[in-house]
Amino acid sequence: MSQASDKVVIGKIGAPYGVKGWVKINSYTETPEGIFDYQPWNLSDDNEYQIDQWRPNGKNLVAKITGVDSRDDAERIKNLDICIDADQLPDLGDEGYYWRELTGMQVVTTQGYDLGVVKEVFNTGANDVLQVRANVKDAFGQKERLLPFVFDDVVQSVDKEGKVITVDWDPGF
């Protein structure tokens, strides 16, 4: 799945921090500091930004972004999404995948029943969940299904090439 030109949201600009243009950073990366491994940032205002400095601040992160030099400048970028090009993400190889790669994949049972297409993937705290939009003429009258993304128990395989997720799941549930 080549989506090199896609943008991936990896965080969000928070409130201004001080008067010299520093901002709080809300990181969505596995380790919060990992957000600074990716540059440049493309904020959702369609401008590109470089990080001048960053540091931990208690349990939070703060950063000084090049060209953001006052509290007013920081206020203008507050709440903007921090995006990067998808090709900046590390390659996870054949065994790994990002949630965005699962979206749009066909979901079929081990018995061959077509459950539908992955609409979204989200985390409940206990495990990841696939939100599957059922086919229009689903034999069981389902509009959508929520399937736990638990390998070996529910998810049997993920075929990135064929864009198919095989699950052990009762279609009537």
Side-chain angles (χ1 to χ4, degrees):
M1 174 187 252
S2 177
Q3 295 178 329
S5 64
D6 287 350
K7 299 290 184 200
V8 178
V9 177
I10 61 169
K12 189 178 221 63
I13 301 291
Y17 178 78
V19 295
K20 295 186 178 182
W22 285 73
V23 291
K24 295 179 182 177
I25 302 295
N26 300 309
S27 175
Y28 304 156
T29 56
E30 187 173 5
T31 58
E33 297 83 9
I35 195 168
F36 299 108
D37 293 339
Y38 303 101
Q39 288 195 48
W41 287 353
N42 296 292
L43 299 187
S44 52
D45 67 353
D46 293 327
N47 289 312
E48 196 171 274
Y49 295 87
Q50 293 288 337
I51 306 307
D52 185 33
Q53 303 174 52
W54 70 271
R55 66 175 183 253
N57 182 43
K59 292 183 179 181
N60 302 310
L61 298 169
V62 293
K64 173 67 177 80
I65 299 172
T66 304
V68 179
D69 298 315
S70 69
R71 187 171 184 88
D72 287 341
D73 291 345
E75 200 58 56
R76 278 191 278 285
I77 63 169
K78 178 179 163 184
N79 294 325
L80 294 180
D81 287 331
I82 301 168
C83 305
I84 60 168
D85 290 330
D87 61 0
Q88 288 180 261
L89 295 171
D91 182 11
L92 299 178
D94 292 335
E95 298 301 313
Y97 30 79
Y98 292 101
W99 282 4
R100 67 182 190 81
E101 294 176 301
L102 300 176
T103 303
M105 284 191 172
Q106 203 67 37
V107 181
V108 297
T109 68
T110 52
Q111 292 77 32
Y113 187 82
D114 184 357
L115 294 175
V117 176
V118 177
K119 180 179 176 185
E120 185 179 355
V121 183
F122 57 91
N123 187 284
T124 62
N127 53 267
D128 296 340
V129 173
L130 299 173
Q131 181 180 5
V132 179
R133 184 179 55 244
N135 297 315
V136 176
K137 295 184 180 188
D138 185 81
F140 295 91
Q142 301 288 331
K143 292 189 193 282
E144 80 173 19
R145 293 176 175 89
L146 300 176
L147 284 71
F149 194 78
V150 179
F151 256 97
D152 297 328
D153 189 28
V154 176
V155 177
Q156 303 301 304
S157 67
V158 176
D159 177 2
K160 289 191 333 185
E161 285 283 319
K163 298 183 180 179
V164 175
I165 301 171
T166 304
V167 296
D168 184 9
W169 193 257
D170 178 2
F173 184 69

